[in-house]
Amino acid sequence: MSTAGAISSTLLFIAILAVVFSAAIFVSFDGTKVSIIGQQQQHVSKNTAETTSTASASPEGNSTAVVIPMPGGAVGPESFAFDGSGGGPYTGVSDGRIIRWRDNESRWVDFAVTSPDRNGCEGSHDHSKMEHICGRPLGLRFNQKSGDLYIADAYMGLLVVGPNGGRASPVAQQVNRVALRFTNSLDIDQDSGVVYFTDSSTRFQRRNHLPIIISGDNTGRLMKFEPTTNKTTLLLDNLKFPNGVALSQNGEFLLFVETTTCTLFKFWLKTPKSGNLESLAQFPGFPDNIKRNRNGEFWVGINSKRGKLLEWVLSKPGIGNAVVGLIPVDITRLYSRLGRWIGNSGMGIRLDGNGNVVEVLDSRWKFVSEVDEENGNLWVGSVIRDFVVREKISIY
């Protein structure tokens, strides 16, 4: 074989390998059963709301589900926040804006941005190419006393903006002299004002997040920011893609998830257990955000179910690192495109504070990032889709 032929064969093999590893996230999963390892499931419901790009009720006959499209070519309403008067939701989108839903007007309005450089950010184009410049707001939470909105921006760090919106100001961009490289999710202790947040990796950024999983990267961190002193403190490190975080109702502990290991953790903040870390449950897919409802329960958004091939890769860190180093294509983008064609595997899981399953929404949603329960509605977000799903729920 000639040198050119050998190179072509090698490149073809690598391209096929990239497709296989990207598809591995979706395949080899038995979708007929949904459970959390070691936990008893109390209730399972099927949600058949098939989402579309125009505002409408579910075509599957579920009249309680409504699809709300994103404005201005934006996608990825990843997380939600509601202000002190119940207004919203507010959500961050792919072009760096934070927008607010005005229910009485049935439209989105601009509220804030996280970057001073907005040239070329908006419009219908691939925003991932400029998100390191325009910003990519992910986790959001209001301080209900001050009305300030805290923002976890994947590139700009932890920021805050006042009740009237505008340009957000950074409050934390590094911890222990290590820069925040992938700020992801947050929650706020409404009594003390302390902000708890995650940095998913110090090696990889959001637009290249899939290698965090494949390589088994463990540079993620959990931190807290104290507004009264402007001090940021490291709570936990050596984490594998720490993502969503949520405080308990009494502030005694917080729950967070590792996306790579599909694991739910409890970190004690108070009581004699303060500082202890417990593993509560393992999910059947990749968890993203976690949000507490008014009953003290927690909703976890599952982005996609986990294939057996990928489980094998994750058990062999050397293979994952070799794949990340060898494949000369954007695995993250390939994964996102494949996901539009392979499987309907997003879901929402409601848990109690001990990790016991209360309810499972095993749905046709794809790439679920968050399920937020507010005022009798479930708001379902996604990091790449171009709409939000709002569904009325019955009182349980």
Side-chain angles (χ1 to χ4, degrees):
M1 182 182 294
S2 66
T3 301
I7 292 175
S8 297
S9 297
T10 301
L11 291 176
L12 176 61
F13 171 76
I14 290 174
I16 293 172
L17 195 63
V19 174
V20 169
F21 274 93
S22 299
I25 292 178
F26 302 102
V27 300
S28 303
F29 184 87
D30 179 5
T32 61
K33 296 180 180 180
V34 178
S35 63
I36 295 182
I37 294 174
Q39 302 294 344
Q40 181 63 39
Q41 186 172 307
Q42 299 177 20
H43 176 69
V44 178
S45 59
K46 293 282 183 178
N47 184 310
T48 56
E50 180 68 36
T51 49
T52 64
S53 58
T54 57
S56 65
S58 164
E60 299 290 335
N62 186 350
S63 60
T64 65
V66 175
V67 172
I68 304 174
M70 294 291 96
V75 300
E78 201 263 357
S79 182
F80 305 113
F82 294 83
D83 59 34
S85 62
Y90 299 71
T91 189
V93 290
S94 58
D95 59 19
R97 288 179 297 155
I98 296 166
I99 56 179
R100 176 189 178 183
W101 176 249
R102 291 189 182 275
D103 195 46
N104 61 335
E105 301 174 12
S106 296
R107 68 186 182 101
W108 296 99
V109 295
D110 291 351
F111 180 73
V113 294
T114 57
S115 169
D117 189 352
R118 300 294 302 163
N119 291 329
C121 294
E122 298 179 26
S124 298
H125 58 85
D126 184 359
H127 296 137
S128 66
K129 295 179 179 179
M130 292 187 63
E131 63 182 24
H132 61 295
I133 298 172
C134 302
R136 183 53 171 107
L138 298 174
L140 306 173
R141 199 65 156 177
F142 277 96
N143 180 312
Q144 301 297 345
K145 292 180 180 179
S146 67
D148 293 335
L149 177 66
Y150 282 84
I151 307 155
D153 186 288
Y155 301 89
M156 307 300 167
L158 183 67
L159 305 95
V160 65
V161 67
N164 296 321
R167 186 195 301 174
S169 302
V171 296
Q173 295 179 306
Q174 60 86 28
V175 180
N176 295 346
R177 299 182 180 179
V178 179
L180 301 177
R181 192 163 174 81
F182 186 174
T183 324
N184 198 325
S185 182
L186 64 85
D187 200 0
I188 299 177
D189 186 323
Q190 298 296 341
D191 292 327
S192 66
V194 172
V195 181
Y196 296 90
F197 66 103
T198 54
D199 183 30
S200 294
S201 174
T202 62
R203 290 180 58 201
F204 300 98
Q205 293 186 301
R206 195 212 74 87
R207 56 182 174 165
N208 194 29
H209 66 269
L210 196 57
I212 302 176
I213 299 174
I214 294 176
S215 70
D217 175 74
N218 66 342
T219 63
R221 300 174 290 175
L222 173 68
M223 293 150 289
K224 70 174 182 179
F225 170 75
E226 301 173 76
T228 55
T229 62
N230 288 322
K231 181 181 180 181
T232 306
T233 304
L234 177 67
L235 299 177
L236 293 171
D237 57 5
N238 298 318
L239 301 176
K240 293 186 175 183
F241 206 147
N243 203 326
V245 59
L247 276 164
S248 65
Q249 215 160 23
N250 58 13
E252 289 186 351
F253 63 86
L254 59 80
L255 300 184
F256 72 92
V257 298
E258 276 188 344
T259 296
T260 297
T261 63
C262 302
T263 303
L264 175 70
F265 291 96
K266 175 186 283 188
F267 182 65
W268 289 93
L269 302 171
K270 301 176 184 178
T271 79
K273 293 184 177 181
S274 178
N276 288 356
L277 181 66
E278 300 175 8
S279 175
L280 293 187
Q282 188 171 20
F283 297 105
F286 295 103
D288 198 329
N289 292 335
I290 177 169
K291 280 291 184 74
R292 191 188 75 240
N293 66 15
R294 295 182 184 273
N295 297 327
E297 300 165 326
F298 299 87
W299 280 101
V300 178
I302 303 296
N303 178 283
S304 55
K305 295 169 186 175
R306 178 167 159 167
K308 295 183 184 297
L309 176 57
L310 187 60
E311 288 184 11
W312 178 79
V313 172
L314 294 178
S315 70
K316 312 286 184 182
I319 295 177
N321 278 297
V323 170
V324 171
L326 286 174
I327 296 178
V329 297
D330 189 335
I331 304 176
T332 301
R333 183 173 298 180
L334 178 61
Y335 156 72
S336 297
R337 291 183 177 178
L338 282 174
R340 299 178 187 277
W341 304 100
I342 302 176
N344 293 308
S345 54
M347 58 197 303
I349 301 175
R350 181 159 57 98
L351 309 162
D352 65 19
N354 293 316
N356 296 308
V357 179
V358 177
E359 182 179 10
V360 175
L361 297 179
D362 187 13
S363 70
R364 288 192 175 94
W365 301 327
K366 295 181 181 179
F367 300 109
V368 173
S369 60
E370 181 167 297
V371 179
D372 197 344
E373 182 181 335
E374 190 74 22
N375 299 326
N377 291 302
L378 289 182
W379 294 84
V380 183
S382 167
V383 74
I384 67 170
R385 306 294 274 179
D386 59 358
F387 50 77
V388 168
V389 175
R390 181 184 65 193
E391 180 176 350
K392 288 190 177 297
I393 56 174
S394 58
I395 303 298
Y396 43 76

